[in-house]
Amino acid sequence: MPANLIDGNKLANQILEKVKKEAAGLKQKPCLAVIMGGENPASQLYVQKKQQACKQVGIESKLFSFPESVAEQELIEKIQELNDDSAVSGVLVQLPLPKHINRNNVLQTISPAKDVDGFTAENLGKLALGIEEMVSCTASGIIKLIESTGTKLEGKNCCIVNHSIVVGRPLMQLLLNRNATVSICHEFTKNLSEFTKKADVLISAVGIAGLIKKEMVKVGAIVIDAGIARNGKKVVGDVDFDAVKEVASFITPVPGGVGPMTVACLLENTVKAARTT
Ligand code: GUN
């Protein structure tokens, strides 16, 4: 029997409705500040989507775009200014940054209370301690997608193909917090399918179209595709969707799966930050 589709758009809209009500109930309108360095077309599109969603739910957004040649210190000073601005609830630095910039120096300048991406050492450290306050939007979106199937993660074999701070590392912690058994794979992993085949829940976020083939997936697995790649003009994920849906129990589409959940969780974090700043 073909897999059930997990509808990321539907779940994201439910979250956005809730966020809209919460935002309307706050004394001060929440505000998300977004910093971009360089002109990466994919980043421009993601940021546009984040700003459109802010408008939809009554959150103000401010975009600070810097050229590819921007100095690290200039980004750091802008973040310090936004940290001190009581009208700003959340600060997000869109990744990737230009190659000459030390990403950690920039991200670790964000005030943990305004760190709506959950990338600061304080928020990543809390997550490792089991305290889920400000958590990566893609990682928490993925957990919500899995939990929407009614599956309990405790004791499940989960395989993540990605070890970045955006997805793999925070997702690993979220899964461990729910007592799942986790393996993390990445571009240096040998025999990827040895790991993926054991997974009750398989999450891939690499950006290589067709990386996850039917033979690599356990029958009945939940498959979450957080990859974004292009196949001609079409946006596709990492998973060979048409073949894998024949063996999986649940599967996310691309587009319409993880993407809208990332945006919805970002706005959830922004309202959470607005309550405390
Ligand atoms: N680039 C790709 N995904 C993300 C994300 O979730 N947050 C930020 N800041 N940059 C990204």
Side-chain angles (χ1 to χ4, degrees):
M1 219 179 51
N4 294 296
L5 208 63
I6 311 178
D7 188 342
N9 279 320
K10 189 172 161 195
L11 196 55
N13 281 332
Q14 288 169 4
I15 295 170
L16 292 178
E17 277 306 309
K18 191 190 76 180
V19 168
K20 191 173 178 176
K21 283 195 191 112
E22 284 174 8
L26 292 172
K27 268 197 234 118
Q28 185 178 309
K29 191 173 180 174
C31 171
L32 174 67
V34 178
I35 295 178
M36 265 186 69
E39 270 128 43
N40 180 320
S43 292
Q44 283 170 334
L45 186 66
Y46 296 148
V47 166
Q48 217 177 3
K49 287 198 171 165
K50 289 171 185 178
Q51 291 198 285
Q52 277 166 359
C54 280
K55 203 164 178 191
Q56 190 188 332
V57 301
I59 293 177
E60 196 185 328
S61 71
K62 288 182 178 172
L63 175 60
F64 301 92
S65 290
F66 292 86
E68 185 75 24
S69 59
V70 65
E72 190 174 301
Q73 190 55 29
E74 210 177 331
L75 293 179
I76 287 174
E77 281 168 18
K78 175 50 78 179
I79 293 170
Q80 285 166 339
E81 182 190 314
L82 296 167
N83 284 345
D84 293 339
D85 185 345
S86 61
V88 171
S89 335
V91 177
L92 178 150
V93 176
Q94 186 67 26
L95 300 175
L97 284 168
K99 287 201 167 53
H100 63 280
I101 295 200
N102 180 323
R103 187 180 74 170
N104 281 340
N105 290 347
V106 173
L107 293 179
Q108 299 314 315
T109 307
I110 301 173
S111 155
K114 296 191 179 189
D115 171 28
V116 286
D117 259 328
F119 294 162
T120 57
E122 179 165 329
N123 286 321
L124 283 168
K126 280 187 173 170
L127 180 59
L129 293 170
I131 304 165
E132 298 177 6
E133 273 176 18
M134 282 290 174
V135 179
S136 151
C137 316
T138 302
S140 46
I142 289 171
I143 290 290
K144 287 182 174 47
L145 286 167
I146 298 167
E147 289 179 342
S148 77
T149 67
T151 304
K152 285 261 173 298
L153 280 162
E154 187 162 292
K156 293 287 187 307
N157 280 339
C158 299
C159 175
I160 307 169
V161 191
N162 179 294
H163 70 327
S164 69
I165 63 157
V166 179
V167 187
R169 291 168 199 239
L171 183 56
M172 170 191 77
Q173 300 292 359
L174 289 171
L175 291 168
L176 290 176
N177 289 350
R178 287 157 183 74
N179 298 323
T181 303
V182 189
S183 35
I184 300 256
C185 302
H186 43 72
E187 59 186 309
F188 301 106
T189 301
K190 296 192 176 74
N191 296 323
L192 178 63
S193 65
E194 266 179 34
F195 296 89
T196 60
K197 271 196 281 198
K198 289 197 186 121
D200 304 306
V201 181
L202 172 59
I203 304 114
S204 185
V206 178
I208 300 178
L211 174 73
I212 306 296
K213 300 183 185 9
K214 184 178 173 181
E215 310 75 63
M216 299 166 72
V217 178
K218 181 174 172 179
V219 173
I222 297 176
V223 179
I224 307 289
D225 192 348
I228 296 276
R230 290 211 167 259
N231 187 350
K233 281 199 173 150
K234 225 174 128 195
V235 173
V236 295
D238 293 347
V239 176
D240 180 0
F241 183 87
D242 288 335
V244 170
K245 79 173 184 337
E246 297 304 322
V247 290
S249 59
F250 289 92
I251 189 166
T252 58
V254 175
V258 175
M261 288 300 287
T262 297
V263 176
C265 293
L266 169 67
L267 303 196
E268 219 178 21
N269 279 352
T270 305
V271 167
K272 196 188 260 187
R275 276 198 235 104
T276 56
T277 51

